[in-house]
Amino acid sequence: MPRPRKEGQYLNVKIDLDLYHELVEVSDEAGQTKTTVVERALTMYFDDYKKKQEIIRKAEEEAGE
């Protein structure tokens, strides 16, 4: 039985071949689709980015006081 389709947006990217091979290796090892691995990696990156931006914003506010 096929997986139910999820709501989403297609994203076509061209990545370095070594990075692609690592993506395939990780997805195979984890038993996940490449889409799942990329989504989780992007989520982790964006969460980290937001935290760093918040730290910078707070430091700038404290410096301005």
Side-chain angles (χ1 to χ4, degrees):
M1 183 166 160
R3 275 183 270 172
R5 287 191 162 278
K6 68 178 181 180
E7 190 173 325
Q9 176 66 43
Y10 285 100
L11 173 66
N12 296 313
V13 297
K14 186 171 185 174
I15 62 173
D16 179 77
L17 195 54
D18 290 335
L19 188 58
Y20 176 76
H21 289 302
E22 191 168 356
L23 172 62
V24 171
E25 183 180 317
V26 168
S27 66
D28 288 347
E29 188 176 291
Q32 300 172 338
T33 64
K34 291 185 289 293
T35 298
T36 299
V37 173
V38 170
E39 286 177 340
R40 288 183 177 175
L42 285 172
T43 298
M44 290 171 58
Y45 175 84
F46 292 145
D47 288 347
D48 184 57
Y49 177 82
K50 290 173 189 174
K51 287 177 188 174
K52 288 178 181 176
Q53 291 302 308
E54 182 64 21
I55 291 168
I56 291 169
R57 186 188 62 76
K58 286 181 180 179
E60 288 173 346
E61 286 177 358
E62 289 175 4
E65 293 178 357

